[in-house]
């Protein structure tokens, strides 16, 4: 299948290309050029000057934990374990347990999709996520090795850091682990422990880093390990987050992740806003919107070892696209101030997944079946059966649950 976008503003690695035409063939970008070509493809979408970005990448989520409200009875916590204990004993957790894992995975997938995310790193053992990979409307990245964390109270994910890290190096995979998520001695020493095990390098993806000190930051920079920053979750649970200015100044590759809605953001747009608000409040200056853009596109693509396919608008890469309305002149500011109403279209693997109801003919032409739906008060068309999902959730709970991350109606 071949189709094209015309009259767009394409956010490419070289900058914003005005009056851009983007052609998609067999699920990948076949060309990007300025101006409208004389030959017309059978399927053409005129974006009327809207911005086109690569599909966003959420570098850290727990899709099985997709539920609300947040849990934090005894904040601030010393580390993640007492929070987890509060979670497991909460009324909202008991409520969530009435839902099937497939329902939670679909809710988490739609939460990401309607905010422009086409790829998610769902940090959990593979056997948990495997049944839902082909059912998800977003791409759940499955090629990674993992540990839960580096401490005596870590959950038993994987076969141990050294074995998992060796597999990552051998297979050109990311090795993903929570690190320094708290302020007890084990959390403070977690990076040093991981380094002593020989598990720091370009394949290492460290999530959180709240307790990093200057020596830790030097170590991460020297080993070329990657960091995923989750400020909303960190600030909610601990009242603190990673020393992000020093981390960025050290040249560390930083991505953004939402974490679970039960502690973190309801979507990537909120995470972006939380990151920028924290940076301004903490350091008295603005976090460069272009840096933020990279934190949700090319930086996670590099960290998660998928840069050959994702993270940039380039010829040959997968046609994962996000279209945002262009009320602001600057593409990067537009992304940093976007909300659910800003999203005009989301494309994954060259096919529309979500967009304005006015684009329904485009969905039909590309063979994508979905449902008319109202998101945040705007008429949309969403692939799959989202309304059937919500009806099944209502039946399971016995009442209608309002979920801010999926605001239908």
């Amino acid at each position: 299948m071949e189709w094209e976008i015309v009259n767009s503003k394409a956010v490419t690695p070289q900058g914003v290309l005005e009056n851009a035409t983007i052609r998609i063939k067999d699920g990948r970008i076949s060309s990007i050029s300025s101006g409208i070509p004389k030959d017309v493809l059978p399927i053409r979408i005129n974006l009327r000057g809207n911005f086109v970005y690569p599909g966003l990448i959420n570098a850290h989520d727990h899709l099985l934990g997709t539920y609300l409200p947040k849990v934090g009875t005894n904040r601030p916590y010393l580390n993640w374990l007492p929070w987890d204990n509060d979670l497991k004993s909460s009324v909202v957790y008991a409520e969530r347990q009435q839902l099937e894992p497939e329902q939670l995975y679909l809710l988490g997938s739609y939460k990401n999709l309607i905010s422009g995310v086409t790829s998610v790193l769902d940090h959990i053992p593979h056997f948990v996520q495997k049944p839902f990979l082909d059912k998800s409307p977003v791409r759940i990245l499955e090629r990674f090795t993992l540990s839960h964390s580096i401490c005596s109270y870590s959950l038993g994910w994987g076969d141990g850091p050294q074995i998992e890290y060796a597999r990552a190096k051998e297979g050109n995979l990311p090795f993903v682990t929570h690190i320094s998520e708290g302020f007890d001695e084990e959390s403070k020493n977690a990076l040093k422990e991981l380094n002593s095990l020989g598990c720091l390098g370009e394949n290492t993806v460290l999530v959180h880093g709240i307790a990093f000190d200057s020596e830790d930051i030097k170590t991460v920079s020297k080993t070329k390990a990657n960091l995923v920053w989750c400020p909303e979750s960190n600030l909610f649970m601990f009242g603190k987050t990673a020393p992000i200015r020093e981390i960025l100044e050290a040249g560390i590759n930083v991505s953004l992740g939402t974490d679970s809605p039960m502690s973190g953001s309801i979507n990537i747009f909120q995470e972006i806003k939380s990151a920028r608000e924290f940076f301004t409040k903490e350091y008295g200056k603005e976090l460069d919107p272009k840096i933020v853009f990279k934190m949700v596109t090319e930086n996670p693509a590099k960290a998660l070892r998928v840069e050959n396919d994702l993270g940039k608008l380039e010829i040959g890469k997968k046609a994962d696209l996000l279209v945002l309305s262009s009320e602001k002149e600057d593409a990067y500011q537009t992304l940093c101030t976007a909300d659910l109403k800003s999203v005009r279209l989301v494309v994954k693997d060259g096919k529309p997944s979500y967009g304005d109801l006015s684009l329904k003919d485009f969905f039909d032409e590309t063979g994508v079946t979905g449902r008319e739906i109202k998101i945040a008060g705007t008429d949309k068309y969403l692939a799959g059966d989202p309304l059937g999902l919500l009806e099944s959730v209502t039946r399971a709970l016995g009442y209608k649950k309002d979920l801010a991350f999926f605001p239908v109606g």
Side-chain angles (χ1 to χ4, degrees), residues 107-171:
L107 286 173
S109 296
Y110 281 128
K111 170 200 77 174
N112 279 285
L113 183 64
I114 64 173
S115 60
V117 171
T118 54
S119 299
V120 181
L121 195 290
D122 174 42
H123 189 198
I124 203 162
H126 295 291
F127 74 87
V128 177
Q129 62 177 210
K130 187 176 181 180
F132 316 112
L133 296 176
D134 294 335
K135 300 175 183 179
S136 171
V138 295
R139 181 183 299 102
I140 300 175
L141 299 171
E142 58 178 315
R143 299 189 71 251
F144 64 92
T145 69
L146 83 166
S147 289
H148 175 269
S149 51
I150 311 301
C151 55
S152 62
Y153 46 88
S154 173
L155 301 180
W157 295 0
D159 294 321
Q162 289 170 301
I163 293 174
E164 295 287 320
Y165 180 71
R167 287 173 180 160
K169 289 190 69 177
E170 182 180 358

Side-chain angles (χ1 to χ4, degrees), residues 328-340:
K328 295 181 181 295
E329 293 186 5
D330 183 86
Y332 309 106
Q333 284 283 0
T334 293
L335 176 62
C336 287
T337 57
D339 57 23
L340 295 181

Side-chain angles (χ1 to χ4, degrees), residues 6 34 65 79 85 96 123 178 246 268 294-296 407:
V6 298
S34 182
N79 56 52
N85 291 335
R96 194 189 87 187
H123 189 198
H178 298 104
E246 189 175 352
I268 200 72
K294 290 183 178 182
M295 286 180 175
V296 292

Side-chain angles (χ1 to χ4, degrees), residues 157-203:
W157 295 0
D159 294 321
Q162 289 170 301
I163 293 174
E164 295 287 320
Y165 180 71
R167 287 173 180 160
K169 289 190 69 177
E170 182 180 358
N172 189 31
L173 307 172
F175 164 65
V176 184
T177 183
H178 298 104
I179 196 81
S180 298
E181 190 181 5
F183 299 99
D184 60 299
E185 285 305 308
E186 287 195 64
S187 295
K188 291 178 181 179
N189 293 322
L191 187 80
K192 296 177 180 64
E193 174 67 17
L194 192 64
N195 194 29
S196 72
L197 295 173
C199 298
L200 281 180
E202 294 181 11
N203 297 76

Side-chain angles (χ1 to χ4, degrees), residues 14-26:
Q14 293 74 38
V16 180
L17 182 65
E18 300 284 340
N19 191 24
T21 293
I22 304 172
R23 287 191 163 180
I24 285 67
K25 184 176 182 180
D26 298 330

